[in-house]
């Protein structure tokens, strides 16, 4: 028998499926983007709000997937009082809970925005993560569709503030009430038809995925997918299917408005929906937002199951190259609508609300494609190297570092093994440090420093192709009095900035759906 103890097994470092680590570049890009979004929202008079990552599971309500298990679709745990809590599924249900809980203290209409992570306990895949960021804006307590019109205008202004020019985006607007009118007109009104109406809503929500032919099958007898799995249909006849497909197939509202009005004639809800669409169209036009920016478009069907009135979607219309090398339209980066029933669940009284959600990761991918992120490049820190480890020398190095920081220059003192100076320069190379500060005993005695320019215009413009020729060309080093340290470093950084400007700082990022984030960013 071998008494030798088994060597403890090393823990394997592994990232949970459906989650990603965020690097400095991604974090800075998101910060740059969200700062511009916040500025627009604040300009419109919206105030920030932050809710916790966890909510009681029952507060998520109808936004839970259709399942009896509270941890299906959401990540859940039981508190010590045996109540189920879940990581938030979106940012809207927590807002509804906050409004209901603080209703007497809140000034209505309540205009707020929130940014944060949401979590979906779903099977991860390309472009679908279990954690992703949303950026929402909502108005609670405003019953008129002028609040919806303002949301659409704010979405348009936000996209333009991010550098997306007119012609590269459109805000498309529809209304759930019009669809309700269509369904009533084809005989699906009344409580006894609620289940069939829900099946119709879920079928047309698949329009982008399956096209009109696939949706027609889901509206009728059912659809069999490529694997042979069969999805039972809503059981509509051909005439009913044609009318539903006509509604969701409208792309030119002006041309189809008359026929749509005839289709919902006799249904109070349908007529009200058409009036609201026309009212929104008139409001945005009066405010200077033409159909090239905000367009009435009944083909918007995503999320109709959840909304009670107007729905809207922000779509980017420019072409990108997908992973197969094909030119495709980028598509939706966010959407929203009116959800008058959500807060009312807690209140027992009507509380109107409308809002929209931006998919942050997906929008960030779009901005990278347009070269609208990263233009304000972050410069790596100036490195103050360490030649001697005694207290006096270390004090001088730290003093230089603090002087650079106090002058607004990013700087760090080398914190590794200082005894191998070559490692410090390797560190500077790998880190991308623009300047190195060197002071040995001789320089210290005479009160000077060596300032080494680590980046040259030749390297940025591509004339230097390998590290050997880079090292040969890297001769920019000068001696300066300690008192001139900050001024000399500023001078070198300014020269490097000019080199970057001449070399050109624009870039193109190919469209990567795996980095686009979850596309289901509606309420």
């Amino acid at each position: 028998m071998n008494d030798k103890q088994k060597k403890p097994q090393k823990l394997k470092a592994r990232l949970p499926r459906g989650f990603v680590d965020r690097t400095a570049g991604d974090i800075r890009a998101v910060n740059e983007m969200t700062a511009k979004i916040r500025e627009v929202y604040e300009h419109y008079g919206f105030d920030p709000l932050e809710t916790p990552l966890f909510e009681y599971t029952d507060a998520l309500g109808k936004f839970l997937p259709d399942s009896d298990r509270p941890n299906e679709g959401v990540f859940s745990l039981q508190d010590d009082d045996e109540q189920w809590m879940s990581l938030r599924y979106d940012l809207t249900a927590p807002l509804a809970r906050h409004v209901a809980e603080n209703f007497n203290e809140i000034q209505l209409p309540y205009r707020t925005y929130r940014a944060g992570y949401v979590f979906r306990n779903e099977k991860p895949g390309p472009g679908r993560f279990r954690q992703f960021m949303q950026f929402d804006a909502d108005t609670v307590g405003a019953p008129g569709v002028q609040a919806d019109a303002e949301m659409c205008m704010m979405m348009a202004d936000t996209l333009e503030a991010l550098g997306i020019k007119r012609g590269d985006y459109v805000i498309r607007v529809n209304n759930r009430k019009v669809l309700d009118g269509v369904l009533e007109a084809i005989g699906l009104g009344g409580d006894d038809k609620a289940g069939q109406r829900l099946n119709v809503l879920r079928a047309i929500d698949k329009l982008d995925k399956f096209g009109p032919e696939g949706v027609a099958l889901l509206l009728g007898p059912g659809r069999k997918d490529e694997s042979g799995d069969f999805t039972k249909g809503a059981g509509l006849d051909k005439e009913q299917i044609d009318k539903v497909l006509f509604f969701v197939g409208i792309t030119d509202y002006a041309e189809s408005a008359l026929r749509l009005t005839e289709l919902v004639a006799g249904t109070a809800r349908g007529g009200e929906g058409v009036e609201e669409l026309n009212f929104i169209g008139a409001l945005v036009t009066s405010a200077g937002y033409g159909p090239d920016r905000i367009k009435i478009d009944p083909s918007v069907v995503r999320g109709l199951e959840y909304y009670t009135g107007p729905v809207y979607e922000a779509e980017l219309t420019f072409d990108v190259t997908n992973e197969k090398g094909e030119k495709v339209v980028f598509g939706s980066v966010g959407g929203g609508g009116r959800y008058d029933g959500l807060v009312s669940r807690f209140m027992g009284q009507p509380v109107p609300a409308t809002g929209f959600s931006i998919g942050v990761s997906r929008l960030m991918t779009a901005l990278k494609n347009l070269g609208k992120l990263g233009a304000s490049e972050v410069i790596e820190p100036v490195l103050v190297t360490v030649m001697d480890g005694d207290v006096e020398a270390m004090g001088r190095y730290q003093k230089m570092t603090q002087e650079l920081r106090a002058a607004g220059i990013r700087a760090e003192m080398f914190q590794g093994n200082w005894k191998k100076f070559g490692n410090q320069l390797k560190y500077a190379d790998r880190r991308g440090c623009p300047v190195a500060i060197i002071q040995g005993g001789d320089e210290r005695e005479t009160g000077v420093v060596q300032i080494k320019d680590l980046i040259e215009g030749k390297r940025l413009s591509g004339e230097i192709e390998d590290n050997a020729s880079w090292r040969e060309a890297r001769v920019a080093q000068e001696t300066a009095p300690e008192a001139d340290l900050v001024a000399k470093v500023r001078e070198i950084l300014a020269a490097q900035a000019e080199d970057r400007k001449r070399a050109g700082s624009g870039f193109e990022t190919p469209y990567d759906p795996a980095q686009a984030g979850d596309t289901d960013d509606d309420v």
Side-chain angles (χ1 to χ4, degrees):
M1 182 176 178
N2 189 356
D3 293 332
K4 197 173 180 181
Q5 281 191 334
K6 284 187 177 179
K7 203 172 178 180
Q9 197 169 19
K10 251 189 336 187
L11 183 64
K12 184 179 179 181
R14 61 204 189 278
L15 188 69
R17 288 191 315 123
F19 295 86
V20 293
D21 291 326
R22 298 173 68 219
T23 59
D26 286 336
I27 293 168
R28 287 180 181 128
V30 168
N31 290 345
E32 179 186 339
M33 182 178 78
T34 54
K36 292 176 182 176
I37 298 173
R38 281 190 178 91
E39 188 175 353
V40 176
Y41 291 1
E42 292 274 355
H43 197 61
Y44 269 72
F46 285 72
D47 293 317
L49 172 69
E50 188 172 292
T51 59
L53 297 178
F54 272 94
E55 294 283 341
Y56 283 116
T57 303
D58 58 6
L60 301 180
K62 66 178 182 179
F63 295 95
L64 276 170
D66 297 321
S67 172
D68 295 329
R69 289 173 52 207
N71 62 341
E72 184 76 14
V74 292
F75 293 97
S76 303
L77 56 86
Q78 273 186 299
D79 203 354
D80 54 10
D81 60 0
E82 297 188 351
Q83 291 192 73
W84 279 97
M85 298 191 305
S86 299
L87 283 170
R88 61 192 182 196
Y89 188 79
D90 63 12
L91 297 178
T92 311
L95 172 66
R97 186 269 310 154
H98 172 81
V99 170
E101 198 170 11
N102 301 278
F103 197 73
N104 293 330
E105 288 77 40
I106 285 174
Q107 177 64 49
L108 296 180
Y110 182 49
R111 297 153 69 80
T112 179
Y113 66 85
R114 286 100 50 232
Y117 284 106
V118 298
F119 302 85
R120 308 278 171 95
N121 187 4
E122 299 169 348
K123 185 178 179 180
R128 294 193 69 86
F129 300 112
R130 288 171 164 172
Q131 174 185 332
F132 54 94
M133 184 180 286
Q134 291 183 335
F135 203 136
D136 288 17
D138 296 81
T139 298
V140 179
V145 293
Q146 60 267 28
D148 302 277
E150 186 182 62
M151 284 289 175
C152 294
M153 291 186 281
M154 191 163 76
M155 288 176 78
D157 288 351
T158 298
L159 295 178
E160 292 195 11
L162 291 167
I164 300 172
K165 67 180 188 292
R166 293 180 196 180
D168 279 347
Y169 76 88
V170 66
I171 312 301
R172 302 190 298 139
V173 188
N174 194 6
N175 197 306
R176 163 68 189 269
K177 293 178 184 177
V178 182
L179 177 60
D180 287 344
V182 172
L183 296 180
E184 186 180 339
I186 63 173
L188 295 187
D191 293 341
D192 60 322
K193 300 287 186 180
Q196 197 173 9
R197 284 198 303 274
L198 183 59
N199 287 336
V200 171
L201 287 168
R202 288 176 175 170
I204 64 176
D205 202 36
K206 300 290 191 297
L207 187 63
D208 286 346
K209 190 174 182 181
F210 298 143
E213 296 81 8
V215 171
L217 292 172
L218 290 173
L219 290 172
R223 178 182 180 274
K224 183 182 289 188
D225 64 20
E226 294 173 357
S227 68
D229 289 341
F230 181 77
T231 302
K232 187 178 178 182
L236 304 188
D237 61 32
K238 186 178 184 307
E239 184 180 356
Q240 290 172 314
I241 292 170
D242 287 345
K243 288 180 178 178
V244 172
L245 288 179
F246 161 74
F247 170 69
V248 299
I250 293 173
T251 55
D252 190 321
Y253 181 69
E255 286 185 3
S256 306
L258 181 60
R259 186 177 167 194
L260 182 61
T261 302
E262 292 172 352
L263 182 59
V264 299
T267 69
R269 192 160 170 81
E272 187 180 331
V274 170
E275 283 182 13
E276 288 181 355
L277 280 180
N278 293 337
F279 190 27
I280 290 173
L283 284 175
V284 299
T285 300
S286 297
Y289 294 75
D292 59 326
R293 302 172 72 190
I294 300 175
K295 178 183 179 184
I296 305 301
D297 185 350
S299 69
V300 177
V301 296
R302 193 181 70 171
L304 281 174
E305 180 182 339
Y306 306 117
Y307 297 121
T308 59
V311 293
Y312 28 88
E313 189 168 55
E315 181 178 295
L316 303 186
T317 56
F318 59 86
D319 289 342
V320 292
T321 303
N322 66 14
E323 72 280 6
K324 297 177 182 177
E326 303 165 333
K327 287 284 185 184
V328 295
V329 173
F330 193 92
S332 174
V333 291
R338 181 160 287 275
Y339 53 98
D340 287 349
L342 186 56
V343 182
S344 306
R345 290 194 310 119
F346 298 96
M347 302 292 297
Q349 65 185 66
V351 182
T354 187
F356 70 87
S357 178
I358 291 174
V360 171
S361 298
R362 186 166 174 79
L363 182 53
M364 187 173 76
T365 300
L367 294 176
K368 284 182 177 179
N369 272 275
L370 291 172
K372 299 297 182 183
L373 280 182
S376 54
E377 185 181 0
V378 174
I379 306 302
E380 296 301 334
V382 171
L383 181 67
V384 177
T385 61
V386 175
M387 301 290 286
D388 300 295
D390 59 272
V391 173
E392 184 199 350
M394 285 289 192
R396 295 277 279 273
Y397 301 141
Q398 193 65 67
K399 179 173 177 287
M400 291 180 216
T401 309
Q402 295 306 118
E403 285 176 352
L404 290 166
R405 290 169 178 165
I409 297 169
R410 206 170 170 222
E412 66 174 83
M413 186 176 88
F414 186 71
Q415 299 293 346
N417 182 1
W418 60 269
K419 293 183 178 179
K420 292 185 178 179
F421 185 70
N423 287 346
Q424 297 189 51
L425 292 183
K426 283 180 185 176
Y427 172 83
D429 284 348
R430 290 170 184 161
R431 186 89 158 86
C433 296
V435 176
I437 310 301
I438 305 166
Q439 188 186 64
D442 293 341
E443 288 89 0
R444 202 157 47 251
E445 283 182 14
T446 55
V448 299
V449 291
Q450 298 286 338
I451 304 176
K452 192 175 185 70
D453 183 348
L454 300 179
I455 298 174
E456 295 195 331
K458 285 183 180 179
R459 180 185 175 211
L460 284 162
S461 62
E463 292 178 19
I464 294 177
E465 297 178 353
D466 55 43
N467 288 338
S469 54
W470 176 30
R471 281 194 296 271
E472 289 171 11
R474 216 174 45 183
V475 294
Q477 180 170 324
E478 60 180 297
T479 303
E482 267 189 69
D484 294 343
L485 172 65
V486 170
K488 287 293 183 185
V489 169
R490 275 186 174 147
E491 187 180 306
I492 293 171
L493 293 177
Q496 292 175 355
E498 188 60 32
D499 286 339
R500 284 194 300 276
K501 188 176 177 182
R502 280 198 299 267
S505 58
F507 61 89
E508 289 289 332
T509 304
Y511 174 59
D512 180 2
Q515 296 298 319
D518 195 292
T519 57
D520 184 18
D521 293 323
D522 284 339
V523 173

